[in-house]
Amino acid sequence: MTLAVIRSIGAPRRLAFSIVVNVPRGDGSHVRLDFGAMPMISRTEVVSALAQSRPDDLKGTAENGWLDFKTTPYAVHTEKGKFELAKDVAAFANAQGGLLVCGARTVALTTEAKDVVEELTPFPKELAKIQNCRDVIQEYVLPPVTTNFTWYDAPAKEGCGYLIIEVEPLHEQARYAMVRKMLSDKDKFTEGWSIPVRHGDQTVFLHPNEIYYLINTTQQSRTGARAAPVAIASTTPTLSPADLAAGRRELEELLDWQDTPVLYWQSTPSRVPDGFLEQLHRPDGIRHHLINQESLRGEQGFNFMFAYVPPKAYEGGLLLSDSRRALWVRADGSVIAGAVATGDLLCWAMNQQGDSARLNVIALSEANLEYFRWVDRFLLPVVDGQWEHRVTAKRFTGEEPRLLAPGANPVFPMIGMQNQASSADWDRAWLAAGDPEVDAFQALSQIYALFGLAASQNPFTTDGRVDTEKVREATRRS
């Protein structure tokens, strides 16, 4: 590999180096690679490169255990294309999850055992076939896997762009996802099934011996491990993403939020034992903790505490709400909280600076932390088993897109360069840690990524946590 040129370049909010190298191929020829910026090392960076119209930053980025590049979109009009999509989604779901990025061609290096992006290949948006892709995943991947599709326009190439398919990992107890059809040597579907798994930068299939072992040993031990601590036997299944979306729509209709930008938090248990409704409604149970929330600032803060307003019964659950925020503990054990992303709450006081659509970093950080301070401490312990947390941003783009600056200076967190939301509807989930500061940081990571930012840029975080004392100090100054 020979170095041709090194030059310093300036990219928006970033200083990088452009390195032009000649890389040997396997056939003895060479390919010229222009590394427009440092290779991507995190999911946030990959998303940010496309969200901030810097696709050239992807050049030189290597495929890995959570990242795979595709030159073209999946050809879901063919059986081979359907199988490839189902295989790749299931493989990521059976590992740590990951990103499938369509619109970049890779080249295999001989000096290192990896494939890196050589060329960007944006394509017309109509070829993405997002709904068709969703239908294929739903039909051919079992059990259901959560995926998110986001389109990013290519700069200076109207009508063309890139598609990112984000695959969330399956819960440990739900593995393994399988593809319920096989592909023949004539690229046609045939009866059968397979279990793909992402291994490094490659997708491999579990050997029949491994599958036999899983069926006869691993699954039995998991069943026993899960059953032992459960005091109450009967359970209900985990809610699907469609169920969760239906809950958000119901809350929107109730509070007349259908045309309002809203940020939602949701928490879902893997099982709901008998007796939950008794715990929910008894005076010393969950109802008590809703009335007596241990918030940082009481009713004066950005939280879900309502002074002198008890929770009301709604659809068998308990609801606290007004025109700008809501916290609904549902009869199925799940929770939905929402806060309007307007000057009434998450954009509070920003109109004084002429930025009415800009999120107030203090309001966002405090409301986010307060949600997990209540849910992780007072609800998760009531129901044994694994919980899933989720954040969803609705209507964050349009005529007046929501804006966010990282707020890097804790003394002046409401100033700084602003980024626009990159997607109108943003939906992300993760397994609950049960620690409010850790889960609050995970939520911020998902929210900040929507704006092409990293949660570590938030001034109230420390080492992968939202620091309660930092938030408390900021609210004293505000």
Side-chain angles (χ1 to χ4, degrees):
M1 180 172 67
T2 59
L3 179 65
V5 179
I6 299 180
R7 67 183 185 275
S8 176
I9 65 171
R13 294 172 295 284
R14 175 183 182 145
L15 181 64
F17 291 100
S18 178
I19 305 175
V20 181
V21 296
N22 292 316
V23 181
R25 295 180 186 264
D27 59 3
S29 64
H30 288 72
V31 62
R32 183 179 184 274
L33 292 182
D34 185 346
F35 294 80
M38 300 295 287
M40 303 289 101
I41 59 173
S42 73
R43 301 187 195 189
T44 299
E45 285 187 298
V46 172
V47 173
S48 297
L50 298 182
Q52 297 177 1
S53 298
R54 297 184 285 106
D56 283 342
D57 284 7
L58 295 178
K59 291 182 179 179
T61 299
E63 294 180 326
N64 56 46
W66 54 265
L67 181 62
D68 197 10
F69 291 101
K70 304 294 176 183
T71 305
T72 60
Y74 287 93
V76 289
H77 61 286
T78 69
E79 292 186 347
K80 181 179 180 182
K82 292 177 181 178
F83 178 79
E84 287 298 317
L85 174 60
K87 168 182 69 70
D88 291 342
V89 167
F92 274 144
N94 288 331
Q96 59 180 307
L99 305 179
L100 296 166
V101 182
C102 300
R105 186 168 63 85
T106 61
V107 59
L109 303 183
T110 57
T111 53
E112 299 179 70
K114 62 182 181 182
D115 294 347
V116 301
V117 174
E118 174 190 25
E119 179 186 4
L120 299 172
T121 57
F123 53 88
K125 189 173 184 178
E126 59 267 22
L127 298 182
K129 307 292 184 185
I130 292 177
Q131 188 55 54
N132 291 353
C133 289
R134 289 194 177 107
D135 293 342
V136 168
I137 295 168
Q138 183 176 8
E139 181 176 359
Y140 293 105
V141 180
L142 294 173
V145 171
T146 300
T147 55
N148 297 284
F149 292 75
T150 308
W151 174 264
Y152 296 97
D153 291 327
K157 197 164 186 180
E158 186 175 354
C160 294
Y162 309 90
L163 177 67
I164 288 185
I165 306 172
E166 183 172 1
V167 183
E168 296 183 9
L170 282 175
H171 293 180
E172 186 70 24
Q173 63 265 31
R175 292 182 182 172
Y176 282 85
M178 69 177 185
V179 181
R180 68 176 193 87
K181 287 286 187 179
M182 295 290 290
L183 204 63
S184 71
D185 55 2
K186 296 181 179 180
D187 292 337
K188 297 293 182 181
F189 276 141
T190 184
E191 292 304 315
W193 54 272
S194 60
I195 299 179
V197 178
R198 190 71 175 177
H199 182 70
D201 62 353
Q202 301 294 320
T203 294
V204 299
F205 291 90
L206 290 188
H207 189 275
N209 289 343
E210 295 177 279
I211 297 174
Y212 178 85
Y213 176 80
L214 285 172
I215 294 173
N216 289 274
T217 305
T218 308
Q219 296 291 13
Q220 292 178 13
S221 67
R222 285 178 181 168
T223 302
R226 290 199 307 273
V230 178
I232 305 172
S234 64
T235 64
T236 59
T238 305
L239 296 175
S240 70
D243 295 327
L244 298 174
R248 294 192 298 270
R249 288 194 298 270
E250 185 174 354
L251 194 61
E252 287 187 348
E253 293 174 3
L254 177 68
L255 301 176
D256 196 23
W257 285 350
Q258 297 96 324
D259 299 318
T260 304
V262 183
L263 181 63
Y264 290 99
W265 295 263
Q266 290 181 269
S267 299
T268 312
S270 58
R271 62 181 65 83
V272 183
D274 290 340
F276 173 74
L277 292 179
E278 173 68 16
Q279 282 286 339
L280 178 61
H281 293 289
R282 58 190 289 177
D284 61 343
I286 296 170
R287 173 184 288 273
H288 168 79
H289 292 302
L290 280 172
I291 297 172
N292 301 282
Q293 295 183 38
E294 298 178 12
S295 64
L296 297 177
R297 293 197 289 164
E299 63 272 16
Q300 302 301 318
F302 299 107
N303 54 43
F304 302 94
M305 183 175 180
F306 296 76
Y308 314 115
V309 179
K312 65 179 182 181
Y314 179 73
E315 296 291 332
L318 291 174
L319 174 66
L320 284 168
S321 68
D322 58 20
S323 62
R324 61 197 183 105
R325 58 191 170 150
L327 179 63
W328 179 18
V329 184
R330 305 170 73 194
D332 56 25
S334 66
V335 186
I336 306 177
V340 297
T342 68
D344 289 332
L345 207 150
L346 294 182
C347 299
W348 180 80
M350 301 310 297
N351 59 326
Q352 298 171 12
Q353 303 180 37
D355 297 319
S356 59
R358 176 173 171 171
L359 299 181
N360 180 319
V361 173
I362 295 177
L364 173 63
S365 302
E366 183 180 0
N368 179 63
L369 177 60
E370 290 281 37
Y371 173 79
F372 293 104
R373 276 169 55 86
W374 189 82
V375 169
D376 280 6
R377 292 192 299 169
F378 299 118
L379 190 61
L380 266 63
V382 173
V383 181
D384 291 333
Q386 182 66 63
W387 281 72
E388 178 185 80
H389 290 318
R390 179 179 297 270
V391 290
T392 305
K394 299 290 290 183
R395 294 172 289 278
F396 268 44
T397 60
E399 292 184 3
E400 191 177 22
R402 300 301 96 173
L403 307 169
L404 179 65
N409 187 333
V411 180
F412 303 103
M414 292 186 286
I415 64 174
M417 185 172 291
Q418 308 171 59
N419 287 17
Q420 285 190 10
S422 60
S423 177
D425 299 324
W426 184 257
D427 187 41
R428 297 293 185 272
W430 68 98
L431 297 181
D435 182 322
E437 292 188 338
V438 173
D439 282 323
F441 183 85
Q442 287 294 329
L444 272 188
S445 296
Q446 315 306 325
I447 298 166
Y448 268 52
L450 171 60
F451 297 88
L453 298 168
S456 56
Q457 295 174 270
N458 180 286
F460 313 121
T461 63
T462 302
D463 298 330
R465 310 173 72 91
V466 173
D467 193 316
T468 301
E469 290 308 311
K470 287 184 177 180
V471 174
R472 196 192 305 271
E473 179 61 28
T475 57
R476 291 194 188 107
R477 293 193 300 264
S478 63

